[in-house]
Amino acid sequence: MDKRITSPPPSRLRQDAEQLIRNRPDTGQDAPEWTEAELALHLSDPEQLMAQLLQQRHELQVHQIELELQNESLAQANLDLEQARRQYADLFEHAPVGYLTLDQAGMIDRCNIQAARQLGMERARLRGRRFSAFLDRNDASSFALFLRRVFTAAQPQRVELRLQSATAPQAQPSPVQFVQVDGELMPHSGSTARLCRLTLTDITAQHRAQEEVLRLNASLEERIEVRTRQLRDLNGELETMMYAVTHDLQAPLRQIRGFTEVLLRDLPLSADRQRHMTYISQSSDQMDALLLALQDYFRAGQQRLRTDAVDLDRVVRGVWRERQAALDGQRQVILTHDPLPQVHGDAVALQMVLAELVGNAVKFTQGQEPARIHIYARTQGQEAVVCVRDNGVGFNMRQKDRLFGVFQRLHRTVEFGGVGMGLALVRRLIHRHGGRVWAESAPGQGATFFFTLPGRPEGPHLSA
């Protein structure tokens, strides 16, 4: 059997070496040296001797060229590595942020130019100094805790510190520099001490801007508080004056009404004059009702609220008892309500609110048989939302902005009585509780009035 030993395919380096040999002129040099015994052995077969000499010569040339090519490749790799090292060293040295390496004791091992500038000392003098010596004394404990976390935690750490130059004279302390410090543990080979890498980013400008914003906010809040106090005082004076005016106007109205009744009773008047006198009397009564409503409105704004836990179930039952007594069985009005929660507020004020809303629903359900009113509540975030729904005439939502205004009416007086002050009183009382009030409706489809009270309610479970 013919057994042949096959050699592995030549490498790229060997191929390049053999190509160079083929292109190189034959100088007859590099012949191997033989011992006398080897020479005598090979002289017996000159052809075999010549073939071996040529093969050995070829192999030597190939190995020599391979070594030359390897040396050239290594030299080029060294040049590339040196260039990369210089580039990264340049990036490290001239980076716009400070770079330092510290040991576990907080001693500086190495730093770049920017870090030396931030610390206010030459780089040659920084090596072996404690980094904490350049910190504000109030930040020393924060840095110690931060450094411990850097060497024990697996992820990078961050802290904000204040820098002060350690070489600044005590009589003239250096300005404080705020820096954001990012720390990360460096790979550890085992032969050297463990080090961590710190990045110092100057955030002094941002910190000064934040301080300025806080100062402006504080100044703005102070000015707002002063203006609010002034407006509150002016509003109180205006309300006091308006309350006095409305009170003082009642006496002339009573006189007008009294003299009108005397004239109607004692003087022979024509039908037209009697109609005019009756109109004067009715207008006086209407104005008196307006003045009384204004007094209630101003009084509601001046009375001090006494907030406490209020059981809305009990309030609704009391309001409905009074309303039923006023109806005296003249109409069929059905009031229902879900279990209502306990809320925090003024019991008297909330009774007035629900009385006005129920009275409003009773008034605008005229003509409905039966009239239905339903009261329920729900939770919305940290607020209790109380809802009063009826099956009355409703209103157009395009007029919703007028609904809670003083003396604002959406229907004619001949259709529905009142002076247009009840819903304005509701809004004022709810606003004093820190809540909101609104309504939703459509003509002929009833209306639902909502008001909110801050604070999560207590009691039965409410749907969100």
Side-chain angles (χ1 to χ4, degrees):
M1 180 180 289
D2 184 12
K3 295 183 179 180
R4 299 183 180 179
I5 300 176
T6 59
S7 60
S11 64
R12 180 64 183 175
L13 189 62
R14 183 177 180 86
Q15 292 176 0
D16 293 341
E18 290 180 347
Q19 182 65 33
L20 289 173
I21 290 174
R22 286 193 294 269
N23 296 335
R24 180 183 295 179
D26 188 3
T27 58
Q29 299 177 358
D30 301 328
E33 297 182 358
W34 300 92
T35 63
E36 293 181 0
E38 290 174 336
L39 184 60
L41 178 63
H42 290 294
L43 285 178
S44 61
D45 190 354
E47 293 181 358
Q48 183 182 5
L49 175 62
M50 183 57 66
Q52 290 181 354
L53 287 173
L54 293 176
Q55 180 65 27
Q56 290 179 359
R57 177 186 177 188
H58 177 76
E59 290 297 328
L60 288 174
Q61 290 176 340
V62 168
H63 288 309
Q64 181 180 1
I65 295 175
E66 284 181 346
L67 290 174
E68 292 175 356
L69 292 176
Q70 288 178 350
N71 288 335
E72 291 178 1
S73 177
L74 289 174
Q76 184 62 40
N78 287 334
L79 289 176
D80 294 340
L81 288 174
E82 179 62 21
Q83 184 178 3
R85 188 195 66 79
R86 290 177 180 176
Q87 289 176 350
Y88 284 113
D90 186 68
L91 288 174
F92 174 82
E93 294 294 344
H94 300 285
V97 295
Y99 289 118
L100 304 98
T101 56
L102 305 183
D103 61 13
Q104 287 185 276
M107 299 294 185
I108 299 175
D109 179 71
R110 188 183 177 192
C111 69
N112 67 347
I113 297 175
Q114 180 63 20
R117 291 173 181 169
Q118 291 172 320
L119 300 181
M121 185 177 291
E122 297 179 358
R123 283 201 297 172
R125 299 173 57 193
L126 282 174
R127 184 178 176 85
R129 287 181 174 266
R130 288 189 179 275
F131 180 75
S132 57
F134 301 91
L135 297 177
D136 186 278
R137 65 179 63 183
N138 296 320
D139 289 346
S141 58
S142 299
F143 173 71
L145 179 61
F146 163 77
L147 189 64
R148 189 181 306 116
R149 289 201 308 265
V150 170
F151 279 96
T152 57
Q155 64 273 11
Q157 302 294 319
R158 173 175 290 180
V159 69
E160 290 187 8
L161 301 172
R162 289 166 291 183
L163 293 182
Q164 285 185 330
S165 175
T167 59
Q170 295 183 356
Q172 298 178 352
S174 62
V176 176
Q177 181 182 175
F178 295 88
V179 291
Q180 175 183 291
V181 183
D182 293 279
E184 185 176 10
L185 189 63
M186 296 179 64
H188 181 54
S189 62
S191 59
T192 58
R194 300 183 70 190
L195 298 175
C196 71
R197 182 189 304 113
L198 299 189
T199 303
L200 308 183
T201 306
D202 190 350
I203 57 171
T204 305
Q206 296 93 312
H207 201 276
R208 301 297 185 201
Q210 290 176 358
E211 289 180 345
E212 182 66 16
V213 170
L214 292 176
R215 187 188 64 80
L216 291 175
N217 285 341
S219 175
L220 181 61
E221 289 177 0
E222 182 179 356
R223 284 183 290 175
I224 290 175
E225 184 179 354
V226 171
R227 295 288 178 86
T228 302
R229 187 166 54 251
Q230 292 174 348
L231 288 175
R232 191 184 299 114
D233 294 341
L234 289 175
N235 189 49
E237 293 177 2
L238 178 62
E239 289 191 358
T240 301
M241 181 187 69
M242 292 299 297
Y243 184 81
V245 169
T246 56
H247 183 271
D248 293 342
L249 284 176
Q250 287 180 323
L253 281 177
R254 284 194 296 268
Q255 294 176 355
I256 292 173
R257 199 163 48 241
F259 285 121
T260 302
E261 292 175 355
V262 171
L263 291 175
L264 284 172
R265 185 182 66 246
D266 297 340
L267 291 180
L269 300 174
S270 63
D272 289 342
R273 291 181 178 179
Q274 285 185 354
R275 186 174 64 253
H276 294 161
M277 298 298 289
T278 302
Y279 182 75
I280 291 174
S281 179
Q282 292 175 348
S283 298
S284 299
D285 292 340
Q286 183 180 6
M287 189 171 183
D288 187 53
L290 292 174
L291 292 175
L292 288 174
L294 275 175
Q295 287 182 1
D296 291 339
Y297 183 78
F298 291 133
R299 191 181 297 113
Q302 292 178 339
Q303 289 179 346
R304 181 179 179 182
L305 296 180
R306 293 177 172 84
T307 58
D308 200 354
V310 180
D311 187 351
L312 290 183
D313 267 331
R314 181 179 299 178
V315 173
V316 169
R317 287 195 297 268
V319 168
W320 185 236
R321 280 196 300 269
E322 295 179 2
R323 179 56 57 180
Q324 280 184 316
L327 288 173
D328 195 19
Q330 298 175 1
R331 293 175 51 198
Q332 184 182 6
V333 180
I334 300 175
L335 183 138
T336 58
H337 64 87
D338 294 341
L340 299 175
Q342 280 193 351
V343 296
H344 290 279
D346 184 278
V348 176
L350 293 180
Q351 185 173 4
M352 292 177 61
V353 167
L354 286 169
E356 291 291 345
L357 291 178
V358 170
N360 185 77
V362 170
K363 178 170 62 176
F364 287 100
T365 53
Q366 294 179 19
Q368 299 294 330
E369 290 296 337
R372 297 185 181 277
I373 304 171
H374 183 65
I375 303 176
Y376 60 99
R378 67 172 185 261
T379 300
Q380 183 174 302
Q382 294 298 319
E383 292 181 323
V385 184
V386 183
C387 318
V388 180
R389 186 177 65 216
D390 63 62
N391 63 340
V393 296
F395 60 89
N396 194 322
M397 286 295 288
R398 287 180 295 182
Q399 297 178 310
K400 64 180 182 178
D401 294 334
R402 297 175 49 203
L403 195 62
F404 297 94
V406 176
F407 297 142
Q408 294 294 324
R409 298 178 54 85
L410 304 187
H411 302 85
R412 294 185 302 171
T413 307
V414 294
E415 296 176 334
F416 302 98
V419 297
M421 185 64 74
L423 294 180
L425 180 62
V426 168
R427 182 181 65 174
R428 183 162 209 190
L429 291 172
I430 294 301
H431 282 183
R432 291 195 65 193
H433 279 79
R436 298 170 291 118
V437 61
W438 72 97
E440 297 176 358
S441 179
Q445 299 182 17
T448 304
F449 287 82
F450 306 86
F451 66 88
T452 67
L453 295 171
R456 195 167 185 86
E458 301 173 358
H461 174 73
L462 303 179
S463 58

